[in-house]
Amino acid sequence: MVSKKTQTGIQNESIFSQMNIWPNPANGKFNIQLPESKNGKFTIEIFDLAGKPLNINAIYQDKIISIDLSDKPKGIYLLKISNGTETVNRKLILQ
């Protein structure tokens, strides 16, 4: 007798799977295409690798936003985006 494995349950896909960041790596300016959100608002925060916030905290309702880090030292930064129910973290590479 051959047994079959059956998968059950529903896997919820994050709304952030629809998000795009370009160019990455970049020389200073990053574009972020935000997904559709029920409340339409996103909170964006950027941190250095030590966890220090870069004073770029804002609430956005636009679909495409630009972040300018050209005045910051080259390196890797952490981008945190939340819509109130979900949060996603991404790396930004500044060349």
Side-chain angles (χ1 to χ4, degrees), residues 8 24 27 36-37 40 54 59-60 66 73 75 77 82-83 90:
T8 59
N24 194 15
N27 291 325
E36 294 288 330
S37 177
L54 297 184
I59 296 175
Y60 294 94
S66 293
Y77 294 88
S82 175
N83 70 347
R90 296 284 189 263

Side-chain angles (χ1 to χ4, degrees), residues 21-31 46-49 54 56 67-79 90-95:
I21 301 171
W22 77 95
N24 194 15
N27 291 325
K29 293 185 180 181
F30 297 88
N31 296 304
I46 300 177
F47 303 88
D48 64 15
L49 284 181
L54 297 184
I56 301 174
I67 302 286
D68 189 355
L69 298 180
S70 57
D71 63 335
K72 305 296 181 202
K74 295 179 183 180
I76 297 174
Y77 294 88
L78 302 176
L79 171 71
R90 296 284 189 263
K91 287 184 198 175
L92 298 177
I93 302 171
L94 182 58
Q95 295 181 330

Side-chain angles (χ1 to χ4, degrees), residues 34 40-44 56-62 65-67:
L34 297 169
K41 296 179 183 177
F42 291 88
T43 302
I44 296 179
I56 301 174
N57 301 331
I59 296 175
Y60 294 94
Q61 292 183 328
D62 298 330
I65 60 166
S66 293
I67 302 286

Side-chain angles (χ1 to χ4, degrees), residues 5-43:
K5 290 186 176 183
T6 305
Q7 283 189 326
T8 59
I10 298 172
Q11 182 177 353
N12 292 330
E13 185 175 316
S14 169
I15 65 161
F16 289 108
S17 63
Q18 304 166 21
M19 182 179 72
N20 291 313
I21 301 171
W22 77 95
N24 194 15
N27 291 325
K29 293 185 180 181
F30 297 88
N31 296 304
I32 303 169
Q33 181 178 6
L34 297 169
E36 294 288 330
S37 177
K38 289 180 183 176
N39 69 7
K41 296 179 183 177
F42 291 88
T43 302

